[in-house]
Amino acid sequence: ASPLFAELSGLPPLHIEAGTADRLIDDAVGIARRAREAGVDVTLEIVDGAIHNFVQYGPDTPEGQAALERIAAHVAGHLGR
């Protein structure tokens, strides 16, 4: 049940955050690549040294806070279209 093998065409714009210390970084890169190939608008942010799910720590870490700001900008940018 991996999204790497899903039909991705028709998805809304995606924003993917991954860290270089994330064991699943290859999956994040792969899903971004496959989504782009399917015509999906994709933003992939790779954060140096960040661990898996670092965004959940949000305001408690500089990396998480920056990620939340990027995500908010992504959403706001697409809602205005």
Side-chain angles (χ1 to χ4, degrees):
S2 170
L4 284 170
F5 306 109
E7 171 56 48
L8 302 175
S9 61
L11 285 178
L14 297 179
H15 182 96
I16 301 168
E17 294 273 342
T20 58
D22 185 343
R23 292 181 184 177
L24 299 177
I25 190 169
D26 291 339
D27 288 351
V29 172
I31 195 77
R33 179 185 48 77
R34 287 204 58 247
R36 282 188 190 112
E37 289 170 355
V40 177
D41 179 4
V42 178
T43 301
L44 173 63
E45 297 284 347
I46 298 178
V47 179
D48 190 41
I51 61 171
H52 182 70
N53 218 10
F54 73 96
V55 178
Q56 81 177 12
Y57 301 105
D60 296 332
T61 65
E63 297 85 359
Q65 180 62 42
L68 289 175
E69 291 170 8
R70 287 190 297 271
I71 294 165
H74 175 85
V75 171
H78 288 287
L79 288 178
R81 289 185 179 180

